Amino acid sequence: MQHTLFVCTTCATVWKEGKPQGKSGGEQLLENLNKLHQNWDLKDNFTIQQVKCMSACSHACTISFAAPGKYTYLFGDLPVGDSASAILDCAYQYYAKADGSLPWSERPEPLKKGIIAKIPPLTEARS
Ligand code: FES
């Protein structure tokens, strides 16, 4: 089953006269994640996909975990410099759970307080 880590690359963009300046915080976080992902045990099962905005812009930087049949989580307020390793640790926990549930007490520190949404898995329509 494919798992996806969405990373918002437009989070923490610095704007000047209507133009983005340099790399955004989200792009830096994506770079940090990609570096760790190269040697990660789950790299073939858990892909990183960049997205432009997940509508939680006031909580930059944001990421999300999603997979068929599992809860979808959206996390924000993640520090650019030192959250990549914690994000992949949490992704590992998400992968290991049948329904993807991530109890507060088990999540790595930056993902304990940064939760924005937990959306239930889709269920088959009943006839
Ligand atoms: S810019 Fe990242 S959530 Fe909107």
Side-chain angles (χ1 to χ4, degrees), residues 7-13 26 51-63 74 116:
V7 182
C8 174
T9 56
T10 45
C11 268
T13 298
V51 293
K52 292 186 187 303
C53 195
M54 292 190 276
S55 289
C57 322
S58 60
H59 292 280
C61 288
T62 61
I63 64 102
L74 177 62
I116 295 170

Side-chain angles (χ1 to χ4, degrees), residues 5 30-48 84 88:
L5 164 57
L30 178 65
E31 276 186 14
N32 297 343
L33 283 164
N34 278 333
K35 277 185 202 153
L36 295 177
H37 187 263
Q38 288 171 6
N39 298 311
W40 192 38
D41 292 350
L42 294 178
K43 68 178 178 183
D44 295 329
N45 308 85
F46 214 130
T47 56
I48 296 178
L88 290 193

